[in-house]
Short mmCIF file of all heavy atoms in Angstrom, two decimals:
data_model
loop_
_atom_site.label_atom_id
_atom_site.label_comp_id
_atom_site.label_asym_id
_atom_site.label_seq_id
_atom_site.Cartn_x
_atom_site.Cartn_y
_atom_site.Cartn_z
N PRO A 426 91.47 16.49 5.18
CA PRO A 426 90.73 15.89 4.06
C PRO A 426 89.88 16.94 3.34
O PRO A 426 89.62 16.81 2.12
CB PRO A 426 89.94 14.83 4.63
CG PRO A 426 90.60 14.37 5.90
CD PRO A 426 91.33 15.70 6.51
N TRP A 427 89.54 17.97 3.95
CA TRP A 427 88.63 18.95 3.44
C TRP A 427 89.52 20.11 2.86
O TRP A 427 88.83 20.96 2.09
CB TRP A 427 87.80 19.55 4.58
CG TRP A 427 87.00 18.57 5.37
CD1 TRP A 427 87.57 18.11 6.56
CD2 TRP A 427 85.92 17.81 5.03
NE1 TRP A 427 86.69 17.11 7.08
CE2 TRP A 427 85.69 16.86 6.17
CE3 TRP A 427 84.95 17.79 4.11
CZ2 TRP A 427 84.60 16.04 6.31
CZ3 TRP A 427 83.84 16.96 4.07
CH2 TRP A 427 83.70 16.13 5.20
N VAL A 428 90.70 20.18 3.03
CA VAL A 428 91.55 21.31 2.60
C VAL A 428 92.41 20.83 1.46
O VAL A 428 92.46 21.47 0.34
CB VAL A 428 92.52 21.77 3.77
CG1 VAL A 428 93.45 22.89 3.20
CG2 VAL A 428 91.57 22.44 4.85
N GLU A 429 93.01 19.65 1.49
CA GLU A 429 93.91 19.16 0.48
C GLU A 429 93.74 17.81 0.16
O GLU A 429 94.33 17.02 -0.51
CB GLU A 429 95.36 19.34 0.91
CG GLU A 429 95.67 18.64 2.22
CD GLU A 429 97.03 19.17 2.73
OE1 GLU A 429 97.66 20.09 2.24
OE2 GLU A 429 97.52 18.44 3.75
N GLY A 430 92.67 17.07 0.70
CA GLY A 430 92.38 15.65 0.52
C GLY A 430 91.37 15.41 -0.46
O GLY A 430 90.93 16.14 -1.39
N SER A 431 90.65 14.24 -0.22
CA SER A 431 89.58 13.77 -1.17
C SER A 431 88.31 14.70 -1.22
O SER A 431 87.65 14.61 -2.11
CB SER A 431 89.06 12.36 -0.65
OG SER A 431 90.15 11.40 -0.59
N PHE A 432 88.07 15.43 -0.17
CA PHE A 432 86.90 16.21 -0.07
C PHE A 432 87.09 17.73 -0.40
O PHE A 432 86.23 18.55 -0.19
CB PHE A 432 86.21 16.13 1.30
CG PHE A 432 85.87 14.70 1.63
CD1 PHE A 432 85.92 14.33 2.92
CD2 PHE A 432 85.61 13.81 0.67
CE1 PHE A 432 85.80 12.97 3.34
CE2 PHE A 432 85.35 12.38 1.05
CZ PHE A 432 85.34 12.03 2.39
N SER A 433 88.29 18.01 -0.93
CA SER A 433 88.59 19.42 -1.01
C SER A 433 88.09 20.09 -2.25
O SER A 433 88.15 21.52 -2.40
CB SER A 433 90.17 19.66 -0.98
OG SER A 433 90.68 18.96 -2.16
N HIS A 434 87.49 19.43 -3.31
CA HIS A 434 87.17 20.07 -4.47
C HIS A 434 86.07 21.03 -4.45
O HIS A 434 85.85 21.88 -5.20
CB HIS A 434 86.87 18.95 -5.52
CG HIS A 434 85.62 18.10 -5.12
ND1 HIS A 434 85.78 17.05 -4.31
CD2 HIS A 434 84.27 18.14 -5.43
CE1 HIS A 434 84.54 16.52 -4.08
NE2 HIS A 434 83.75 17.29 -4.82
N LEU A 435 85.16 20.96 -3.24
CA LEU A 435 84.12 21.93 -3.16
C LEU A 435 84.55 23.26 -2.59
O LEU A 435 83.92 24.20 -2.76
CB LEU A 435 83.12 21.32 -2.35
CG LEU A 435 81.79 22.07 -2.06
CD1 LEU A 435 80.97 22.16 -3.46
CD2 LEU A 435 80.77 21.29 -1.08
N PHE A 436 85.74 23.28 -1.83
CA PHE A 436 86.19 24.43 -1.18
C PHE A 436 87.42 24.94 -1.69
O PHE A 436 87.97 26.00 -1.23
CB PHE A 436 86.34 24.14 0.26
CG PHE A 436 85.27 23.27 0.91
CD1 PHE A 436 85.39 22.00 1.11
CD2 PHE A 436 84.26 23.91 1.31
CE1 PHE A 436 84.41 21.20 1.68
CE2 PHE A 436 83.12 23.06 1.97
CZ PHE A 436 83.19 21.84 2.04
N ASP A 437 88.08 24.44 -2.71
CA ASP A 437 89.49 24.84 -2.99
C ASP A 437 89.61 26.02 -3.98
O ASP A 437 90.57 26.16 -4.84
CB ASP A 437 90.18 23.65 -3.68
CG ASP A 437 89.60 23.01 -4.89
OD1 ASP A 437 88.49 23.57 -5.24
OD2 ASP A 437 90.09 22.13 -5.43
N GLY A 438 88.56 26.82 -3.99
CA GLY A 438 88.74 27.99 -4.81
C GLY A 438 87.53 29.05 -4.48
O GLY A 438 86.67 28.82 -3.66
N PRO A 439 87.70 30.28 -5.05
CA PRO A 439 86.50 31.25 -4.74
C PRO A 439 85.20 30.70 -5.25
O PRO A 439 85.10 29.88 -6.09
CB PRO A 439 86.98 32.45 -5.56
CG PRO A 439 88.36 32.33 -5.79
CD PRO A 439 88.66 30.76 -5.83
N THR A 440 84.05 31.21 -4.76
CA THR A 440 82.75 30.90 -5.10
C THR A 440 82.58 31.30 -6.59
O THR A 440 82.81 32.39 -6.99
CB THR A 440 81.80 31.67 -4.21
OG1 THR A 440 81.98 31.27 -2.89
CG2 THR A 440 80.34 31.30 -4.60
N THR A 441 82.10 30.23 -7.42
CA THR A 441 81.72 30.35 -8.68
C THR A 441 80.37 30.53 -9.13
O THR A 441 79.98 30.71 -10.25
CB THR A 441 82.34 29.16 -9.49
OG1 THR A 441 81.74 27.96 -8.99
CG2 THR A 441 83.87 29.03 -9.22
N ILE A 442 79.44 30.52 -8.08
CA ILE A 442 78.07 30.62 -8.47
C ILE A 442 77.44 31.78 -7.66
O ILE A 442 77.80 31.97 -6.43
CB ILE A 442 77.29 29.32 -8.10
CG1 ILE A 442 77.70 28.71 -6.73
CG2 ILE A 442 77.52 28.23 -9.19
CD1 ILE A 442 76.78 28.92 -5.72
N ARG A 443 76.52 32.47 -8.32
CA ARG A 443 75.76 33.54 -7.66
C ARG A 443 74.20 33.36 -7.88
O ARG A 443 73.54 33.93 -8.77
CB ARG A 443 76.18 34.88 -8.28
CG ARG A 443 77.63 35.17 -8.03
CD ARG A 443 77.97 35.39 -6.56
NE ARG A 443 79.36 35.71 -6.44
CZ ARG A 443 80.00 35.75 -5.22
NH1 ARG A 443 79.23 35.59 -4.10
NH2 ARG A 443 81.30 36.06 -5.13
N PRO A 444 73.61 32.42 -7.17
CA PRO A 444 72.19 32.06 -7.43
C PRO A 444 71.26 33.18 -7.08
O PRO A 444 71.39 33.69 -6.00
CB PRO A 444 71.98 30.80 -6.68
CG PRO A 444 72.98 30.96 -5.60
CD PRO A 444 74.10 31.60 -6.09
N ASP A 445 70.44 33.39 -8.04
CA ASP A 445 69.24 34.40 -7.66
C ASP A 445 68.19 34.15 -8.66
O ASP A 445 68.33 33.66 -9.70
CB ASP A 445 69.76 35.80 -7.79
CG ASP A 445 68.96 36.83 -7.05
OD1 ASP A 445 68.04 36.41 -6.42
OD2 ASP A 445 69.34 38.09 -7.10
N GLY A 446 66.91 34.65 -8.25
CA GLY A 446 65.85 34.33 -9.12
C GLY A 446 64.62 33.93 -8.29
O GLY A 446 64.68 33.65 -7.08
N HIS A 447 63.48 33.74 -9.03
CA HIS A 447 62.30 33.28 -8.26
C HIS A 447 62.30 31.87 -7.75
O HIS A 447 61.51 31.52 -6.92
CB HIS A 447 61.08 33.61 -9.20
CG HIS A 447 61.11 32.83 -10.46
ND1 HIS A 447 61.90 33.28 -11.58
CD2 HIS A 447 60.51 31.68 -11.13
CE1 HIS A 447 61.73 32.46 -12.47
NE2 HIS A 447 60.90 31.46 -12.22
N LEU A 448 63.05 31.03 -8.43
CA LEU A 448 63.12 29.58 -8.02
C LEU A 448 64.62 29.20 -8.21
O LEU A 448 65.27 29.16 -9.18
CB LEU A 448 62.28 28.68 -8.77
CG LEU A 448 62.47 27.17 -8.47
CD1 LEU A 448 62.15 26.83 -6.95
CD2 LEU A 448 61.55 26.29 -9.28
N VAL A 449 65.22 28.88 -7.05
CA VAL A 449 66.71 28.32 -7.12
C VAL A 449 66.67 26.94 -6.43
O VAL A 449 66.20 26.75 -5.33
CB VAL A 449 67.68 29.31 -6.32
CG1 VAL A 449 69.05 28.68 -6.27
CG2 VAL A 449 67.62 30.65 -6.93
N VAL A 450 67.18 25.94 -7.22
CA VAL A 450 67.37 24.69 -6.76
C VAL A 450 68.82 24.19 -6.54
O VAL A 450 69.58 24.36 -7.45
CB VAL A 450 66.71 23.58 -7.68
CG1 VAL A 450 66.79 22.22 -7.16
CG2 VAL A 450 65.16 23.97 -7.92
N TRP A 451 69.07 23.82 -5.20
CA TRP A 451 70.48 23.44 -4.77
C TRP A 451 70.52 21.89 -5.00
O TRP A 451 70.01 21.20 -4.09
CB TRP A 451 70.87 23.95 -3.47
CG TRP A 451 70.93 25.33 -3.48
CD1 TRP A 451 69.98 26.35 -3.30
CD2 TRP A 451 72.08 26.06 -3.34
NE1 TRP A 451 70.46 27.59 -3.21
CE2 TRP A 451 71.78 27.56 -3.27
CE3 TRP A 451 73.46 25.83 -3.41
CZ2 TRP A 451 72.78 28.59 -3.21
CZ3 TRP A 451 74.48 26.85 -3.34
CH2 TRP A 451 74.10 28.20 -3.20
N SER A 452 71.03 21.33 -6.04
CA SER A 452 71.13 19.96 -6.23
C SER A 452 72.27 19.34 -5.43
O SER A 452 73.43 19.83 -5.66
CB SER A 452 71.22 19.61 -7.77
OG SER A 452 71.32 18.24 -7.92
N LEU A 453 72.05 18.19 -4.79
CA LEU A 453 73.14 17.55 -4.01
C LEU A 453 73.39 16.23 -4.62
O LEU A 453 74.18 15.35 -4.08
CB LEU A 453 72.70 17.44 -2.54
CG LEU A 453 72.35 18.67 -1.83
CD1 LEU A 453 71.94 18.28 -0.39
CD2 LEU A 453 73.35 19.75 -1.75
N ARG A 454 72.83 15.94 -5.72
CA ARG A 454 72.84 14.64 -6.36
C ARG A 454 74.32 14.13 -6.79
O ARG A 454 74.72 12.97 -6.63
CB ARG A 454 71.94 14.52 -7.64
CG ARG A 454 71.95 13.18 -8.33
CD ARG A 454 71.27 12.15 -7.52
NE ARG A 454 71.28 10.82 -8.30
CZ ARG A 454 70.31 10.46 -9.05
NH1 ARG A 454 69.24 11.30 -9.40
NH2 ARG A 454 70.26 9.41 -9.70
N HIS A 455 75.07 15.16 -7.15
CA HIS A 455 76.53 14.72 -7.45
C HIS A 455 77.50 14.86 -6.31
O HIS A 455 78.66 14.62 -6.60
CB HIS A 455 76.92 15.80 -8.61
CG HIS A 455 75.94 15.78 -9.81
ND1 HIS A 455 75.85 14.92 -10.71
CD2 HIS A 455 75.00 16.71 -10.13
CE1 HIS A 455 75.02 15.16 -11.61
NE2 HIS A 455 74.42 16.20 -11.24
N LEU A 456 77.12 15.15 -5.20
CA LEU A 456 77.94 15.01 -3.93
C LEU A 456 78.02 13.63 -3.32
O LEU A 456 77.03 12.98 -3.41
CB LEU A 456 77.52 16.05 -2.89
CG LEU A 456 77.71 17.56 -3.15
CD1 LEU A 456 77.08 18.28 -1.99
CD2 LEU A 456 79.21 17.87 -3.18
N PRO A 457 79.14 13.12 -2.98
CA PRO A 457 79.22 11.84 -2.33
C PRO A 457 78.45 11.95 -0.99
O PRO A 457 78.24 13.06 -0.37
CB PRO A 457 80.66 11.61 -2.08
CG PRO A 457 81.38 13.05 -2.12
CD PRO A 457 80.59 13.72 -3.21
N ASP A 458 78.13 10.84 -0.44
CA ASP A 458 77.43 10.72 0.88
C ASP A 458 77.99 11.47 2.03
O ASP A 458 77.36 12.14 2.84
CB ASP A 458 76.95 9.45 1.20
CG ASP A 458 76.09 8.69 0.11
OD1 ASP A 458 75.34 9.41 -0.44
OD2 ASP A 458 76.05 7.57 0.17
N GLU A 459 79.36 11.40 1.99
CA GLU A 459 80.08 12.03 2.99
C GLU A 459 79.94 13.63 3.00
O GLU A 459 80.29 14.18 4.09
CB GLU A 459 81.51 11.62 3.07
CG GLU A 459 81.88 10.19 3.27
CD GLU A 459 81.40 9.23 2.07
OE1 GLU A 459 81.11 9.81 0.99
OE2 GLU A 459 81.50 8.02 2.19
N LEU A 460 79.72 14.16 1.89
CA LEU A 460 79.70 15.56 1.68
C LEU A 460 78.22 16.18 1.71
O LEU A 460 78.01 17.36 1.62
CB LEU A 460 80.29 16.00 0.40
CG LEU A 460 81.84 16.01 0.51
CD1 LEU A 460 82.39 16.42 -0.90
CD2 LEU A 460 82.34 17.03 1.42
N ARG A 461 77.22 15.28 1.77
CA ARG A 461 75.87 15.82 1.54
C ARG A 461 75.41 16.61 2.74
O ARG A 461 74.62 17.64 2.54
CB ARG A 461 74.85 14.59 1.27
CG ARG A 461 74.99 14.00 0.07
CD ARG A 461 73.77 13.29 -0.49
NE ARG A 461 73.97 12.89 -1.84
CZ ARG A 461 72.82 12.36 -2.55
NH1 ARG A 461 71.59 12.18 -1.96
NH2 ARG A 461 73.00 12.04 -3.77
N THR A 462 75.82 16.28 4.04
CA THR A 462 75.40 17.02 5.02
C THR A 462 76.05 18.40 4.99
O THR A 462 75.41 19.54 5.31
CB THR A 462 75.85 16.38 6.41
OG1 THR A 462 75.21 15.15 6.47
CG2 THR A 462 75.43 17.24 7.58
N VAL A 463 77.32 18.46 4.66
CA VAL A 463 77.97 19.80 4.39
C VAL A 463 77.36 20.56 3.33
O VAL A 463 77.21 21.81 3.48
CB VAL A 463 79.54 19.46 4.19
CG1 VAL A 463 80.29 20.83 4.03
CG2 VAL A 463 80.14 18.64 5.39
N GLY A 464 77.01 19.82 2.17
CA GLY A 464 76.41 20.71 1.12
C GLY A 464 75.13 21.18 1.49
O GLY A 464 74.80 22.23 1.09
N THR A 465 74.27 20.57 2.44
CA THR A 465 73.13 21.02 2.70
C THR A 465 73.34 22.26 3.66
O THR A 465 72.51 23.31 3.45
CB THR A 465 72.26 20.03 3.58
OG1 THR A 465 72.16 18.82 2.79
CG2 THR A 465 70.92 20.51 4.02
N LEU A 466 74.26 22.19 4.54
CA LEU A 466 74.63 23.38 5.38
C LEU A 466 75.02 24.54 4.51
O LEU A 466 74.52 25.70 4.83
CB LEU A 466 75.53 23.02 6.34
CG LEU A 466 75.95 24.10 7.46
CD1 LEU A 466 74.81 24.51 8.28
CD2 LEU A 466 77.01 23.62 8.33
N LEU A 467 75.85 24.36 3.61
CA LEU A 467 76.41 25.55 2.73
C LEU A 467 75.20 26.01 1.92
O LEU A 467 75.14 27.31 1.68
CB LEU A 467 77.48 24.98 1.80
CG LEU A 467 78.81 24.52 2.50
CD1 LEU A 467 79.87 23.98 1.41
CD2 LEU A 467 79.48 25.73 3.12
N ALA A 468 74.37 25.13 1.38
CA ALA A 468 73.26 25.74 0.54
C ALA A 468 72.29 26.58 1.59
O ALA A 468 71.82 27.72 1.18
CB ALA A 468 72.46 24.64 0.02
N LEU A 469 72.05 26.04 2.71
CA LEU A 469 71.17 26.83 3.62
C LEU A 469 71.78 28.16 4.08
O LEU A 469 71.15 29.13 4.24
CB LEU A 469 70.91 25.91 4.98
CG LEU A 469 69.65 24.95 4.93
CD1 LEU A 469 69.57 24.18 6.19
CD2 LEU A 469 68.49 25.67 4.65
N ASP A 470 73.08 28.06 4.22
CA ASP A 470 73.75 29.39 4.53
C ASP A 470 73.71 30.34 3.53
O ASP A 470 73.44 31.59 3.68
CB ASP A 470 75.26 29.09 4.81
CG ASP A 470 76.14 30.37 4.98
OD1 ASP A 470 75.71 31.08 6.06
OD2 ASP A 470 77.03 30.60 4.38
N ALA A 471 73.91 29.94 2.21
CA ALA A 471 73.76 30.96 0.98
C ALA A 471 72.23 31.49 0.99
O ALA A 471 72.20 32.57 0.61
CB ALA A 471 74.18 30.24 -0.23
#
Side-chain angles (χ1 to χ4, degrees):
W427 313 94
V428 174
E429 55 190 15
S431 304
F432 304 147
S433 62
H434 61 278
L435 187 61
F436 314 99
D437 59 359
T440 300
T441 58
I442 45 103
R443 299 294 178 187
D445 201 1
H447 58 281
L448 174 61
V449 179
V450 177
W451 293 77
S452 173
L453 309 180
R454 179 68 178 270
H455 305 283
L456 285 175
D458 291 340
E459 293 79 4
L460 280 175
R461 288 204 171 188
T462 301
V463 179
T465 303
L466 182 62
L467 291 175
L469 274 178
D470 174 61

